[in-house]
C-alpha cells in the first residue's frame, strides 16, 4: 500500500505565479484534506474534499482552490502567489472524519 | 476561531527521563482528540484517537489521557529514548463541524543520548 503520495516534493516560484500541487490518497480513502504548515506553526486546515466536492474550508482566501477527481486524487491550486504562501503543504486522506494519513508534503518557496 | 494550544513548545530531555506535555482545546462540542507524531523528514503518523472523557490510551512507553470536561489531554512518555525525538501534534475535532481537524502548533521533543 503506497499510502498518501504528493508531488512535487519541492518547488520554487516567484510572486504572482500560480502553482498546482497533487495528492493521491491512500487506497480505500475517499476524503482528502489539505493543510498549510508555516514555519513554527501547526498545520492549518485549508479545505477538505469528499465526493469531488469541497465540503469544508478553512480561513484561506479564494486564491486557494482545489479539485478532487473520480479516483479520489486531489489538486491544490494557489494563484497570484505571495511571499507568505511559502510553506509546507500537507495532504491527508481518511475515511470521512477518521484518522488522517499524511503525505510527506510539498515544500513551496515563493521568491 | 477555535484555539488548540500545546505546551511546552519544545522540550529537551535526557535518555531515560520521563516527560509529559499538554494539549488544551475547547470543552464544548467535543467529538474526538487525535495525537500525531511527526519525525523529521517523515509524514505525521497517528498515535492515538480519543473520544470519551476519561479515556486512557497506551502504546508501548507512550500513553495519553483525556479530559473533555475541562478541555485537555496529556501525553506521557516513560523512559524517553532518542527515537522518541519528534514533534507531537494534537488535533481537536469538534466545534460546529465534526469533519474539520484543528491542530495545535505541536511540542518538539528532543531526547539526548
Amino acid at each position: 500500500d503506497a499510502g498518501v503520495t504528493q508531488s512535487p516534493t519541492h518547488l520554487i516560484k516567484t510572486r504572482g505565479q500560480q502553482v498546482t500541487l497533487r495528492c493521491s490518497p491512500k487506497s480505500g480513502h475517499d476524503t482528502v484534506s489539505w493543510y498549510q504548515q508555516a514555519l513554527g506553526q501547526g498545520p492549518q486546515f485549508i479545505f477538505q474534499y469528499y465526493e469531488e466536492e469541497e465540503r469544508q474550508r478553512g480561513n484561506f482566501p479564494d486564491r486557494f482552490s482545489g479539485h478532487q477527481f473520480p479516483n479520489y486524487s486531489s489538486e491544490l491550486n494557489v494563484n497570484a502567489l505571495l511571499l507568505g504562501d511559502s510553506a509546507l503543504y500537507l495532504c491527508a486522506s481518511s475515511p470521512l472524519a477518521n484518522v488522517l494519513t499524511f503525505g510527506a508534503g510539498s515544500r513551496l518557496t515563493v521568491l | 476561531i477555535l484555539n488548540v494550544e500545546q505546551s511546552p513548545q519544545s522540550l529537551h530531555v535526557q535518555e531515560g527521563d520521563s516527560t509529559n506535555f499538554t494539549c488544551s482545546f475547547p470543552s464544548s462540542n467535543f467529538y474526538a482528540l487525535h495525537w500525531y507524531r511527526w519525525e523529521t523528514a517523515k509524514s505525521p503518523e497517528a498515535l492515538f484517537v480519543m473520544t470519551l472523557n476519561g479515556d486512557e490510551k497506551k502504546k508501548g512507553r507512550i500513553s495519553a489521557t483525556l479530559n473533555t470536561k475541562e478541555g485537555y489531554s496529556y501525553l506521557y512518555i516513560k523512559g524517553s529514548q532518542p527515537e522518541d525525538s519528534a514533534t507531537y501534534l494534537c488535533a481537536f475535532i469538534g466545534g460546529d463541524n465534526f469533519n474539520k481537524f484543528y491542530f495545535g502548533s505541536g511540542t518538539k521533543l528532543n531526547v539526548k543520548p
Side-chain angles (χ1 to χ4, degrees):
Chain A
D1 183 3
V4 178
T5 58
Q6 291 187 243
S7 63
T9 54
H10 294 83
L11 69 166
I12 300 173
K13 293 283 188 178
T14 57
R15 279 178 295 176
Q17 285 189 311
Q18 179 263 344
V19 68
T20 297
L21 308 178
R22 296 177 177 83
C23 173
S24 293
K26 182 176 178 178
S27 176
H29 288 183
D30 53 11
T31 302
V32 173
S33 303
W34 287 92
Y35 292 83
Q36 180 195 66
Q37 195 204 20
L39 202 60
Q41 298 182 18
Q44 300 293 310
F45 175 75
I46 303 175
F47 40 54
Q48 181 189 77
Y49 278 84
Y50 174 68
E51 292 188 340
E52 301 179 52
E53 290 189 1
E54 183 183 291
R55 287 178 60 91
Q56 306 297 338
R57 187 176 184 92
N59 190 26
F60 279 80
D62 292 344
R63 298 186 297 109
F64 289 76
S65 63
H67 190 76
Q68 186 179 35
F69 299 93
N71 66 354
Y72 306 124
S73 66
S74 177
E75 288 182 351
L76 164 66
N77 300 292
V78 187
N79 293 323
L81 285 167
L82 305 173
L83 294 179
D85 295 331
S86 295
L88 180 69
Y89 289 86
L90 290 166
C91 171
S93 71
S94 64
L96 193 61
N98 209 317
V99 178
L100 298 177
T101 300
F102 284 91
S106 294
R107 184 162 297 281
L108 170 65
T109 302
V110 182
L111 302 177
Chain B
I1 295 178
L2 195 150
N3 276 334
V4 177
E5 296 183 356
Q6 291 187 246
S7 62
Q9 203 169 23
S10 64
L11 202 50
H12 297 262
V13 302
Q14 289 294 136
E15 181 176 354
D17 287 350
S18 293
T19 185
N20 65 86
F21 23 94
T22 307
C23 173
S24 300
F25 51 85
S27 56
S28 59
N29 296 329
F30 175 88
Y31 181 75
L33 191 287
H34 292 192
W35 281 99
Y36 291 83
R37 175 167 58 197
W38 194 355
E39 297 177 69
T40 302
K42 295 185 178 179
S43 310
E45 291 184 341
L47 274 175
F48 301 116
V49 175
M50 311 184 81
T51 56
L52 297 175
N53 184 44
D55 252 359
E56 290 191 28
K57 301 272 185 174
K58 188 173 181 181
K59 186 181 289 188
R61 295 178 291 97
I62 305 177
S63 59
T65 61
L66 179 68
N67 184 323
T68 61
K69 295 188 186 305
E70 295 183 36
Y72 64 83
S73 175
Y74 292 142
L75 189 78
Y76 300 91
I77 302 179
K78 185 178 177 182
S80 302
Q81 299 297 308
E83 57 265 31
D84 297 327
S85 297
T87 296
Y88 291 83
L89 294 167
C90 68
F92 168 81
I93 302 98
D96 61 353
N97 186 320
F98 289 169
N99 291 319
K100 196 182 289 189
F101 289 64
Y102 298 89
F103 280 88
S105 56
T107 293
K108 187 171 184 177
L109 174 67
N110 181 35
V111 182
K112 298 177 184 176

